[in-house]
Amino acid sequence: MDALSAQFSRDCGYTGDSPAMLAALAAIRLDGIGKARLGHGQRKAIVDRLKHGEALFLAAIRPAQSAEEALEDAARFIASYRNMPRWRQERRGADLARARQQRLLARFFRRFGHRLWAQQAA
């Protein structure tokens, strides 16, 4: 077991030395890293598709008219989602995923969009 896996197990609160438990915690760590990399790849693919033009970005964040408005809408929904009862949260999971994706896209294109689209136009 490497030092990172040992540090992860200590960070999780495990102080024992059972090889099976240490192996299980190492597997959990590697699975988490794999899921994070997969999620990054998926988000990057979405951003790469929207880089080709501002019209694609605006279609992705509809009905918002700008990145700032999309950020406000996403923040408003996420805050209201946190205040929903559990049974309603379970039914609105897809809406939460869409709001998080919209927030991610709006943040990225608010920061880099004008530069990307200016390079495309040149």
Side-chain angles (χ1 to χ4, degrees):
M1 182 171 62
D2 61 352
L4 290 175
S5 294
Q7 182 63 38
F8 178 75
S9 61
R10 282 192 298 276
D11 291 343
C12 289
Y14 182 69
T15 57
D17 59 353
S18 168
M21 188 64 170
L22 292 172
L25 287 168
I28 290 169
R29 178 181 164 271
L30 291 176
D31 183 57
I33 291 170
K35 285 183 180 177
R37 287 184 180 155
L38 178 66
H40 172 74
Q42 291 170 343
R43 290 185 299 271
K44 183 170 180 350
I46 291 169
V47 168
D48 287 344
R49 283 187 301 229
L50 297 177
K51 282 182 182 179
H52 298 293
E54 190 172 7
L56 291 172
F57 167 67
L58 291 174
I61 63 167
R62 70 179 188 284
Q65 299 294 316
S66 66
E68 288 79 18
E69 189 177 338
L71 283 170
E72 290 172 9
D73 291 347
R76 190 177 311 114
F77 179 78
I78 291 170
S80 68
Y81 180 85
R82 290 180 182 149
N83 293 325
M84 288 180 189
R86 179 77 177 165
W87 62 270
R88 188 172 288 164
Q89 284 181 353
E90 292 170 356
R91 294 171 49 194
R92 304 284 305 264
D95 294 336
L96 178 65
R98 184 180 185 284
R100 286 181 174 166
Q101 183 178 17
Q102 183 174 358
R103 181 178 60 179
L104 178 100
L105 292 173
R107 283 180 177 169
F108 180 83
F109 284 105
R110 180 183 63 180
R111 186 170 182 189
F112 300 111
H114 299 293
R115 185 174 14 171
L116 288 170
W117 297 319
Q119 289 173 353
Q120 292 275 332

